[in-house]
Amino acid sequence: MKRILSLILALVLFTGILAGCSTSDDSGGQQNADGTLPSNADVTAEPDILDGLNYNGATINIQMSATEISSDILMIGSGEQTGDVVNDAVYDRNMAAEEKLNVVLTYVETNYNWDGVTGEMEKLAVAGDSTYHFIVNDQLGLSTASVNHYLVNAYGAAYFDFESDGWWVDYMKDLSLSNDKLYLLVGDYFIDVLNHSHVLLYNRRIFTDLYGDADSIYKQVTDDSWTYDAFNKYITEAYRDVNGDGAKDADDVYGMIIGGIGGSTFPFTYGSDAQFVTRDENGTPTLTMNNERTLLLYDKIYAAF
């Protein structure tokens, strides 16, 4: 059974970021009018570990998830410049990577559900199919594939500097079961995290009617008095039985409206600083979510929802 390389952050596509961070300016911030550095500026150039690499036109095959919730268009682009600022930035980045390393990036788009990812990886591994150099897909499915040894350990691979800017090192380590294994790579190249951010909006008119200054809620955040208790208080006090029928129905005013219970609870959990996993001296993780802080957290979330 041949394992496949499934690196969620393709080195060749990350080249532009690495190269962009390769020069440090010790000139004290002084610049000429045209933006160039003065002739007496002390500039120290850091070595670019990708300089001199030439893959002689090799094709890099990338299997890319293209479901409704994927950000594939921000990684693949349209394949040409269209005048759209985002598309053209994606195009220029990919072309720069191809030219620097002398490679051809080829994408094969897939559209299977998150729970089918592991099975697809198993098929490739069992068949010894090494067609794909990189696979971009659901985190849970690829994590399971890594536990089943379908993927290649990225530690020790040439040209990866996981301590450099752009890599989300702590996040990647949290996706691993040991200190010497790393299968899933994450970093600035993947816009999915920002593209699926959750935002909590509030109605300034309703808040003003109830409490006066609508901006006071920002002060609560900055002075650390924005708590679940405060949030639940606003939710409860904002409710109005508009039609006076004594029942909560679609005609009433509510303190919170959510678009689906499951996904909407995630940001409250992620932003809580509750510890779900701890590691021993060898880096081996243990589930420790059954603790006082987590139980309190879910009491508060349950009260809100």
Side-chain angles (χ1 to χ4, degrees):
M1 181 174 70
K2 188 170 184 178
R3 291 178 295 171
I4 57 176
L5 182 63
S6 176
L7 304 181
I8 296 188
L9 182 52
L11 171 65
V12 290
L13 295 173
F14 199 52
T15 303
I17 298 176
L18 290 176
C21 299
S22 64
T23 302
S24 61
D25 172 14
D26 295 325
S27 65
Q30 297 179 351
Q31 289 184 335
N32 296 322
D34 62 357
T36 61
L37 295 175
S39 58
N40 62 344
D42 180 15
V43 178
T44 303
E46 298 178 0
D48 184 349
I49 61 175
L50 303 181
D51 275 349
L53 286 180
N54 187 336
Y55 287 94
N56 302 312
T59 297
I60 304 299
N61 297 313
I62 304 170
Q63 187 189 94
M64 178 72 67
S65 173
T67 64
E68 290 183 358
I69 63 172
S70 300
S71 299
D72 53 306
I73 193 63
L74 299 177
M75 291 177 252
I76 301 176
S78 66
E80 60 183 1
Q81 291 184 323
T82 63
D84 178 81
V85 63
V86 174
N87 174 79
D88 290 356
V90 172
Y91 175 82
D92 291 342
R93 178 201 61 201
N94 292 356
M95 287 298 297
E98 287 189 334
E99 292 173 3
K100 184 176 182 67
L101 299 180
N102 190 12
V103 296
V104 176
L105 303 177
T106 300
Y107 297 91
V108 176
E109 297 188 85
T110 63
N111 191 19
Y112 41 83
N113 199 33
W114 66 270
D115 56 359
V117 174
T118 304
E120 294 297 324
M121 298 303 98
E122 181 179 16
K123 291 177 184 177
L124 292 173
V126 171
D129 188 343
S130 57
T131 300
Y132 302 112
H133 300 90
F134 304 99
I135 293 176
V136 182
N137 217 301
D138 179 78
Q139 175 177 290
L140 179 58
L142 289 178
S143 297
T144 305
S146 70
V147 172
N148 291 336
H149 307 292
Y150 300 152
L151 313 179
V152 173
N153 183 8
Y155 277 138
Y159 309 115
F160 286 108
D161 180 5
F162 296 124
E163 299 303 322
S164 62
D165 290 340
W167 295 99
W168 298 3
V169 180
D170 290 337
Y171 189 96
M172 290 190 293
K173 289 180 179 178
D174 282 344
L175 296 176
S176 177
L177 293 178
S178 64
N179 290 336
D180 59 349
K181 299 291 191 302
L182 192 64
Y183 300 101
L184 277 65
L185 309 188
V186 187
D188 290 348
Y189 172 63
F190 283 84
I191 198 66
D192 290 60
V193 175
L194 294 179
N195 204 33
H196 295 90
S197 296
H198 295 258
V199 179
L200 182 64
L201 306 174
Y202 75 106
N203 187 308
R204 292 176 61 86
R205 179 185 58 78
I206 294 178
F207 193 93
T208 300
D209 290 344
L210 290 172
Y211 306 108
D213 182 12
D215 290 332
S216 63
I217 197 169
Y218 296 119
K219 186 176 185 302
Q220 283 187 279
V221 174
T222 57
D223 67 13
D224 293 331
S225 62
W226 174 246
T227 63
Y228 280 107
D229 290 337
F231 184 40
N232 286 329
K233 176 176 180 291
Y234 292 146
I235 292 173
T236 302
E237 294 180 353
Y239 174 75
R240 293 291 182 272
D241 184 6
V242 176
N243 56 19
D245 64 357
K248 292 183 177 180
D249 50 40
D251 295 325
D252 296 342
V253 172
Y254 293 86
M256 179 171 68
I257 299 176
I258 59 175
I261 293 178
S264 298
T265 63
F266 294 164
F268 295 103
T269 301
Y270 300 155
S272 67
D273 197 30
Q275 298 300 311
F276 295 91
V277 175
T278 57
R279 293 178 182 268
D280 61 21
E281 63 277 7
N282 298 317
T284 304
T286 302
L287 286 174
T288 52
M289 62 186 299
N290 188 18
N291 58 69
E292 184 176 352
R293 181 179 178 84
T294 304
L295 294 175
L296 178 61
L297 167 66
Y298 279 103
D299 280 343
K300 300 295 185 181
I301 293 177
Y302 182 80
F305 280 76

